Amino acid sequence: MKLSPRDAAGYFARPDPDRPGLLIYGNDAMRVALKRQQVIAALLGPNAEEEMRLTRLSAADLRADTAALTDAVKARGFFPGPRVVFLEDATDALSDKILGALADWQKGDAQIVLTARQLPPKSALRKAFEAHPEAYAVGIYDDPPGRPEIESMLTQAGLGQADRAAMGTLLDLSTALDPGDFRQTVEKIALYKLDDPAPLSPEDILACAPRSTEAEADALIHAVAEAKTVEIGPLMQRLQAQGMTPVTLCIAATRHFRQLHAAAADPDGAASGINRLRPPVHFKARDRMARQAQAWGMHRLEQALGLLIDTDLKLRSAQRAPQMALVERSFIRLAVMASRRT
């Protein structure tokens, strides 16, 4: 059966121990690994490793011994309790061996948990798990964690429920951090609040959040797109002091203007175009970006992208001009273009 992202969040927190198998796949190995860790911990509880109720197999193990998965699923341990056989990096090349073990599964056998890279809809492994009446297949995408997932993290960390202001801060933070960094930040907040009975506040979260240059980089690019020329120099000086490279800034600006161009070219309007972008734009930036796309227009955005691509080529060439100054000059030219758009 195929689990939707919404249903998957609940299932990872409370998995069914009587299911024969679970396939987790996705492009981001860190996101897939975090989900796998969560579901195995929920299935087995503490001390599973010490009690040998978790068996780990690799794709190489299964290629070397075609019966390795079936043998591990059928094996009986010395300790009572549920068991899991975890196979990492599953591929369609191993589908016959994996699906054979799944077909032989009986109640009381170890549950099969597989992780894989992104699998296309035609993948034999994905199709088999999605069509199976008892097993599950879950695709993990690059969207930031939503409210239910964050609430689950808070509960696991012993932080309880967050009020509206604190949850809003956490949602913003989840879009700025990688999933592993975000989970570590939640754990850090739990330690910070260990002896503090007061409710979780935005100030608590910000005190534990990693200092990231991404927010200032976003502010710089928005300033460029909105013709706020006077803000460009100070923001670039701060980012340079924090170690941001010119190439990184140019790439970020190019990505932003590509998104604006795609939105401006949408036949249903810029607002609809922003909502259709993948990966999705954070909800707090959607209206702002829609206004930028509408104000610039598709053809002027094409000119802006041409300027950014030329800048990127110069940064990667053997020219001797100071690279940060080159990027700053291009950003100022874009801001001037924005100021003349009307």
Side-chain angles (χ1 to χ4, degrees), residues 213-225 236 239 244-261 277 281 289 292 301 304-305 308-309 311-312 315-316 324 327 331 334:
T213 60
E214 291 185 12
E216 287 193 341
D218 288 344
L220 170 61
I221 294 167
H222 282 301
V224 171
M236 290 201 68
L239 287 166
M244 180 70 77
T245 67
V247 171
T248 300
L249 279 176
C250 190
I251 290 172
T254 303
R255 180 173 62 246
H256 183 88
F257 276 82
R258 285 189 191 280
Q259 289 178 316
L260 296 184
H261 182 265
L277 291 176
V281 174
M289 290 181 65
Q292 291 171 10
L301 285 166
L305 284 169
L308 287 167
I309 291 168
T311 304
D312 185 64
L315 291 173
R316 299 170 193 271
M324 193 60 84
V327 173
F331 282 1
L334 288 172

Side-chain angles (χ1 to χ4, degrees), residues 38-53:
Q38 180 186 3
V39 75
I40 290 179
L43 281 167
L44 300 182
N47 306 319
E49 296 271 11
E50 294 84 349
E51 295 175 359
M52 297 178 288
R53 292 186 288 114

Side-chain angles (χ1 to χ4, degrees), residues 155-218:
T155 301
Q156 292 174 16
L159 288 166
Q161 297 297 314
D163 63 18
R164 184 174 180 178
M167 179 57 71
T169 304
L170 286 168
L171 286 166
D172 288 344
L173 189 62
S174 72
T175 66
L177 299 178
D178 290 334
D181 291 338
F182 181 73
R183 185 174 289 275
Q184 288 179 357
T185 301
V186 172
E187 293 171 356
K188 183 179 178 181
I189 295 168
L191 292 173
Y192 179 84
K193 295 286 290 180
L194 189 61
D195 298 318
D196 183 2
L200 182 64
S201 69
E203 291 73 21
D204 295 329
I205 298 164
L206 295 175
C208 298
R211 299 292 180 249
S212 173
T213 60
E214 291 185 12
E216 287 193 341
D218 288 344

Side-chain angles (χ1 to χ4, degrees), residues 20-274:
L22 170 67
L23 168 64
I24 309 172
Y25 62 90
N27 274 326
D28 192 321
M30 174 60 75
R31 294 176 190 269
V32 171
L34 288 172
K35 297 303 182 185
R36 178 260 301 170
Q37 291 171 1
Q38 180 186 3
V39 75
I40 290 179
L43 281 167
L44 300 182
N47 306 319
E49 296 271 11
E50 294 84 349
E51 295 175 359
M52 297 178 288
R53 292 186 288 114
L54 174 62
T55 302
R56 299 176 184 271
L57 295 176
S58 67
D61 295 330
L62 198 51
R63 283 193 292 268
D65 180 0
T66 57
L69 181 58
T70 300
D71 291 345
V73 169
K74 297 292 184 183
R76 293 292 181 266
F78 293 105
F79 295 90
R83 294 178 300 110
V84 165
V85 178
F86 163 51
L87 175 64
E88 191 173 15
D89 291 333
T91 63
D92 278 352
L94 300 171
S95 60
D96 289 345
K97 304 174 183 64
I98 295 168
L99 299 180
L102 186 65
D104 291 340
W105 189 91
Q106 295 179 348
K107 191 170 182 178
D109 291 345
Q111 185 165 145
I112 303 168
V113 176
L114 312 175
T115 59
R117 301 279 183 160
Q118 183 63 40
L119 298 173
K122 294 182 179 180
S123 160
L125 200 57
R126 176 176 166 180
K127 287 173 65 177
F129 270 77
E130 289 181 348
H132 197 284
E134 299 293 332
Y136 285 121
V138 182
I140 305 299
Y141 302 102
D142 294 341
D143 299 340
R147 184 183 296 269
E149 191 172 353
I150 293 175
E151 288 175 345
S152 175
M153 290 184 194
L154 294 176
T155 301
Q156 292 174 16
L159 288 166
Q161 297 297 314
D163 63 18
R164 184 174 180 178
M167 179 57 71
T169 304
L170 286 168
L171 286 166
D172 288 344
L173 189 62
S174 72
T175 66
L177 299 178
D178 290 334
D181 291 338
F182 181 73
R183 185 174 289 275
Q184 288 179 357
T185 301
V186 172
E187 293 171 356
K188 183 179 178 181
I189 295 168
L191 292 173
Y192 179 84
K193 295 286 290 180
L194 189 61
D195 298 318
D196 183 2
L200 182 64
S201 69
E203 291 73 21
D204 295 329
I205 298 164
L206 295 175
C208 298
R211 299 292 180 249
S212 173
T213 60
E214 291 185 12
E216 287 193 341
D218 288 344
L220 170 61
I221 294 167
H222 282 301
V224 171
E226 294 167 356
K228 297 176 181 177
T229 312
V230 294
E231 297 181 14
I232 294 174
L235 283 169
M236 290 201 68
Q237 289 176 6
R238 286 204 297 269
L239 287 166
Q240 186 174 17
Q242 294 169 18
M244 180 70 77
T245 67
V247 171
T248 300
L249 279 176
C250 190
I251 290 172
T254 303
R255 180 173 62 246
H256 183 88
F257 276 82
R258 285 189 191 280
Q259 289 178 316
L260 296 184
H261 182 265
D266 192 285
D268 294 327
S272 296
I274 289 293

